[in-house]
Amino acid sequence: MTFTIATRQGTNQYYEESFAKGTLPLRMLLIPAGTFLMGSPTGELERSDAEGPQHSVALSEFFMAKHPVTQAQWRAVAAMPQVNRDLKADPSEFKGELHPVERVSWYDAVEFCDRLSAHTNRQYCLPTEAQWEYACRAGTTTPFHFGETITTDLANYDGTDDEDQKWSGSYGDGPKGEYRQTTTAVDQFDSANSYGLCDMHGNVWEWCQDHWHDSYKAAPTDGSAWLTDDEEARRVVRGGSWIYNPRNCRSAYRDDFSPDDRLSYAGFRVSCVAPRALP
């Protein structure tokens, strides 16, 4: 049995938002404009119908955070003046300054973005679903930005078989692995994609702007958020998490949670409209 994991090197423009001394800066990486095929091909292993039909999406450039928002970064922004709602300073189940914040709702994540925007005078928001997949793929068309498979040496997910044996802890020709049963520090894995983004596969699900739709029929083709008139609609999450199997960590995999859910396996990262000049 053989499998291949790809490694890529590259450089990218970025800027940083600094917080308290000792807190990891929020590094925002430039994601270049481009066009990609969103969704998975019909022959991709363990795909779901919600991942199709594949369709071409053209995006303008934007910035995306290198890592999911950490607990230290969350605490710094939670101390900023309120915009629309209260935020708990320490909501996470699994503690660690460099661990991703979790147990935050979609509404909490939006409030984080609003406070950071007011503080910096830059437009922060959750990524749209199209932005998220485009940034995750970073030019690749394989199930993972590493290639055709994934291992628990590269990402934090459940690498063992689940109890009812419905889903395996391995994907394709890849090996089974460990199940850490907790989040990991956002800088634990040296497995950035070619845009420099880390932890796009596994660790915590990441909230997106979009309302959930069962397929991509009539989806936007310009990278914008796909919204409805229902403010209580379920929201899209991407990337898989520490509690899920590898099929859920694929670049094309999509799921949905209620916007007021606060789960130990759901966090977020931020995006930003490209400033005219880097700070």
Side-chain angles (χ1 to χ4, degrees), residues 10 63-64 95 100-101 107 111 119 121 171 186 189 227 235:
F63 283 80
M64 181 174 276
K95 306 302 183 184
V101 68
Y107 299 115
E111 175 69 16
H119 180 74
N121 200 30
Y171 185 85
V186 298
F189 301 102
L227 306 177
R235 265 52 169 195

Side-chain angles (χ1 to χ4, degrees), residues 109-148:
V110 170
E111 175 69 16
F112 177 100
C113 295
D114 290 344
R115 292 189 191 192
L116 187 59
S117 298
H119 180 74
T120 62
N121 200 30
R122 282 185 278 278
Q123 187 179 340
Y124 285 95
C125 56
L126 295 176
T128 70
E129 187 178 14
Q131 286 177 332
W132 193 99
E133 185 174 328
Y134 176 73
C136 177
R137 289 190 178 279
T140 64
T141 58
T142 48
F144 309 93
H145 68 68
F146 318 113
E148 294 291 342

Side-chain angles (χ1 to χ4, degrees), residues 161-183:
D161 292 336
D162 63 8
E163 292 181 2
D164 61 9
Q165 300 297 308
K166 183 179 180 182
W167 302 114
S168 172
S170 62
Y171 185 85
D173 291 334
K176 291 184 173 63
E178 62 182 307
Y179 180 28
R180 297 176 175 91
Q181 303 184 58
T182 182
T183 59

Side-chain angles (χ1 to χ4, degrees), residues 217-233:
K217 293 177 182 178
T221 58
D222 61 356
S224 60
W226 194 6
L227 306 177
T228 69
D229 293 331
D230 181 7
E231 287 301 316
E232 297 181 358

Side-chain angles (χ1 to χ4, degrees), residues 8-269:
R8 301 174 180 84
Q9 291 183 335
T11 58
N12 198 0
Q13 288 183 289
Y14 68 89
Y15 70 90
E16 292 184 338
E17 302 286 11
S18 296
F19 300 108
K21 184 177 180 180
T23 300
L24 185 73
L26 183 67
R27 177 168 291 194
M28 301 295 296
L29 300 172
L30 177 64
I31 310 301
T35 301
F36 83 116
L37 269 181
M38 185 173 181
S40 62
T42 56
E44 184 164 301
L45 183 67
E46 298 184 9
R47 83 184 290 268
S48 74
D49 291 341
E51 297 165 25
Q54 275 193 307
H55 57 291
S56 180
V57 178
L59 295 97
S60 302
E61 69 177 15
F62 60 99
F63 283 80
M64 181 174 276
K66 179 177 181 177
H67 302 113
V69 170
T70 68
Q71 292 175 34
Q73 291 168 345
W74 172 271
R75 189 164 53 252
V77 174
M80 294 176 183
Q82 177 178 329
V83 177
N84 292 305
R85 61 190 289 123
D86 291 332
L87 293 177
K88 292 183 178 180
D90 188 22
S92 301
E93 178 173 337
F94 303 109
K95 306 302 183 184
E97 296 291 276
L98 288 177
H99 284 237
V101 68
E102 18 90 3
R103 295 191 63 84
V104 291
S105 71
W106 184 90
Y107 299 115
D108 295 335
V110 170
E111 175 69 16
F112 177 100
C113 295
D114 290 344
R115 292 189 191 192
L116 187 59
S117 298
H119 180 74
T120 62
N121 200 30
R122 282 185 278 278
Q123 187 179 340
Y124 285 95
C125 56
L126 295 176
T128 70
E129 187 178 14
Q131 286 177 332
W132 193 99
E133 185 174 328
Y134 176 73
C136 177
R137 289 190 178 279
T140 64
T141 58
T142 48
F144 309 93
H145 68 68
F146 318 113
E148 294 291 342
T149 192
I150 190 172
T151 80
T152 56
D153 291 332
L154 295 172
N156 182 18
Y157 61 91
D158 183 358
T160 62
D161 292 336
D162 63 8
E163 292 181 2
D164 61 9
Q165 300 297 308
K166 183 179 180 182
W167 302 114
S168 172
S170 62
Y171 185 85
D173 291 334
K176 291 184 173 63
E178 62 182 307
Y179 180 28
R180 297 176 175 91
Q181 303 184 58
T182 182
T183 59
T184 48
V186 298
D187 63 351
Q188 176 162 326
F189 301 102
D190 185 21
S191 54
N193 67 15
S194 62
Y195 290 157
L197 299 170
C198 297
D199 256 16
M200 297 296 285
H201 301 304
N203 213 6
V204 288
W205 286 105
E206 299 182 11
W207 290 111
C208 294
Q209 287 186 43
D210 304 53
H211 295 182
W212 173 256
H213 296 78
D214 289 336
S215 77
Y216 288 134
K217 293 177 182 178
T221 58
D222 61 356
S224 60
W226 194 6
L227 306 177
T228 69
D229 293 331
D230 181 7
E231 287 301 316
E232 297 181 358
R234 296 177 71 83
R235 265 52 169 195
V236 172
V237 290
R238 286 302 201 108
S241 76
W242 61 268
I243 202 173
Y244 282 75
N245 296 112
R247 71 179 293 267
N248 303 87
C249 299
R250 291 176 297 116
S251 299
Y253 190 85
R254 52 200 300 264
D255 210 335
D256 60 292
F257 296 147
S258 171
D260 55 4
D261 281 344
R262 292 187 173 95
L263 306 166
S264 64
Y265 42 88
F268 68 103
R269 75 179 71 213

